[in-house]
Amino acid sequence: MVARILDGKAIRDSVLAELASRVEQAAHYGIRPGLAAVLVGEDPASKIYVRNKIRACDRIGAHSETLRLPAETTTPELVAVVEDLNGREDIDGILVQLPLPGHIDAQRVLGCVSPEKDVDGFHPVNVGKLASGQACLAPCTPRGLIEILKRSQIQIKGRHAVVVGRSNIVGKPAALLLLAEHATVTICHSRTPDLPTVCRRAEILVAAAGRPAMLTREHIGDGAVVLDVGINRLQDAATVHRLFAHDPRRLEGFDKSGSTLVGDVHPGDVAQCASAYTPVPGGVGPLTIAMLMSNTLAAASRRTPADAPMRA
Ligand code: NDP
């Protein structure tokens, strides 16, 4: 059986094209959805993430702005910035880029974002709504998983999904969203005994452990659909050559650049055992920003009349 590769970039492109046309529709009501990104300090990875989010806004025609604050910003100062954004009519989504510098009380800051503008879905009100099955702004990476499955016509209802990882930003919300789609859900974590046996029962296997290539053929049931959330950078040549022995192009790229990305699933094993899987890179990752845009539009739709076509 040749496994189907679930192309996250192609799915992202179609999501963004649909969102762009909804932004156009919103313009008929004099509304331009707006996202504010708050970046504290100089973390290089965070700068890249924020830049990519702003680019996605440009791509769909939404308004965006980045508020850059020095690393010494205090918790009360950051709270004041967020509260100012809460009060602005032209800003629908507020994104506080994590991680925040260690001296800042991240929970307090995230708790100050208005739940209606909480496009990351981290506010306790949205977490509670998600857990109790109410409409809400849900976290972007888990939403991306559901989007990939639906747009690939992969049935969720009635199937057994196993989620490896129970973090608040990926594992738990992914499990809740799968449950809302009527999957039977098992959540695994570092204390789960006999992980391979539990994982092998999965018809849909979600890997979100943050451990490079941890899930191998002994974890993947024949014909499972495998969604790999993990993003791990590898620099060790022996490991890369072992994991990508089947992929000469990847090895060539590694030999040139000195690093490569791998997910939480063994890339060679998944291609042999799964019926469909997301590659790393180019699988789950691209959907995260697309879902951020989708959440921003959902937040903006509260400014439009109830019958407006931009309401998804
Ligand atoms: P966390 O480190 O917060 O959580 C990891 C989870 O995996 C924990 O629940 C942990 O269990 C579990 N785990 C760790 N080791 C094992 C093990 N050996 N067996 C079983 N379970 C294990 O990570 P995140 O959820 O934030 O991220 C997971 C991965 O997804 C990372 O690689 C991250 O880079 C990536 N990511 C990708 C995104 C994207 O856009 N594609 C977005 C966000 C994250 P326990 O709770 O018991 O410690």
Side-chain angles (χ1 to χ4, degrees):
M1 175 176 49
V2 178
R4 176 177 166 204
I5 297 175
L6 304 172
D7 180 351
K9 288 185 188 163
I11 297 172
R12 171 202 58 199
D13 289 346
S14 49
V15 171
L16 290 181
E18 288 167 25
L19 294 177
S21 84
R22 282 173 53 202
V23 171
E24 259 183 56
Q25 289 164 4
H28 300 310
Y29 296 89
I31 290 165
R32 188 167 182 221
L35 176 71
V38 183
L39 180 61
V40 185
E42 300 293 331
D43 180 55
S46 294
K47 283 184 179 174
I48 294 171
Y49 293 143
V50 167
R51 193 187 63 206
N52 290 340
K53 290 166 187 177
I54 298 300
R55 278 190 187 156
C57 286
D58 294 344
R59 191 165 155 184
I60 64 166
H63 166 75
S64 64
E65 52 192 79
T66 307
L67 288 84
R68 293 184 181 79
L69 304 174
E72 314 77 68
T73 305
T74 63
T75 301
E77 283 166 348
L78 187 51
V79 165
V81 168
V82 169
E83 280 174 351
D84 180 57
L85 293 169
N86 282 341
R88 276 178 55 185
E89 187 59 18
D90 60 331
I91 293 298
D92 300 291
I94 301 170
L95 154 85
V96 181
Q97 184 64 43
L98 300 177
L100 290 168
H103 66 276
I104 291 180
D105 181 347
Q107 287 310 324
R108 192 173 145 210
V109 173
L110 296 179
C112 285
V113 175
S114 160
E116 292 183 329
K117 298 190 178 189
D118 169 40
V119 282
D120 269 331
F122 294 159
H123 191 284
V125 166
N126 284 317
V127 175
K129 284 185 171 178
L130 180 62
S132 59
Q134 297 175 57
C136 65
L137 293 170
C140 301
T141 302
R143 274 203 63 204
L145 300 175
I146 302 294
E147 203 69 25
I148 290 172
L149 291 171
K150 287 190 171 171
R151 287 181 187 249
S152 307
Q153 281 82 43
I154 292 170
Q155 186 177 325
I156 307 174
K157 183 174 163 182
R159 300 184 89 183
H160 185 193
V162 173
V163 180
V164 183
R166 57 173 165 180
S167 73
N168 290 330
I169 61 167
V170 186
K172 264 186 230 161
L176 289 167
L177 287 172
L178 287 161
L179 192 60
E181 297 292 335
H182 310 295
T184 300
V185 182
T186 303
I187 306 176
C188 303
H189 47 79
S190 64
R191 320 292 163 88
T192 301
D194 197 4
L195 189 68
T197 301
V198 180
C199 288
R200 266 201 314 275
R201 291 197 198 111
E203 295 171 283
I204 298 171
L205 179 60
V206 176
R211 301 270 181 272
M214 186 188 94
L215 302 185
T216 61
R217 62 179 65 239
E218 62 168 347
H219 299 85
I220 305 168
D222 272 346
V225 173
V226 180
L227 303 175
D228 190 353
V229 184
I231 303 177
N232 309 288
R233 186 163 291 283
L234 294 180
Q235 289 174 317
D236 174 57
T239 309
V240 172
H241 280 260
R242 179 173 52 80
L243 291 175
F244 292 100
H246 62 289
D247 188 345
R249 279 181 56 198
R250 180 71 79 108
L251 293 178
E252 209 176 289
F254 172 76
D255 289 339
K256 278 190 195 137
S257 70
S259 77
T260 196
L261 294 181
V262 70
D264 291 348
V265 181
H266 189 295
D269 287 1
V270 73
Q272 283 179 15
C273 306
S275 61
Y277 68 98
T278 56
V280 177
V284 174
L287 265 297
T288 298
I289 290 183
M291 292 299 102
L292 178 72
M293 297 300 111
S294 168
N295 275 351
T296 303
L297 261 71
S301 69
R302 78 195 154 82
R303 287 201 268 149
T304 61
D307 59 347
M310 73 157 290
R311 283 180 178 248

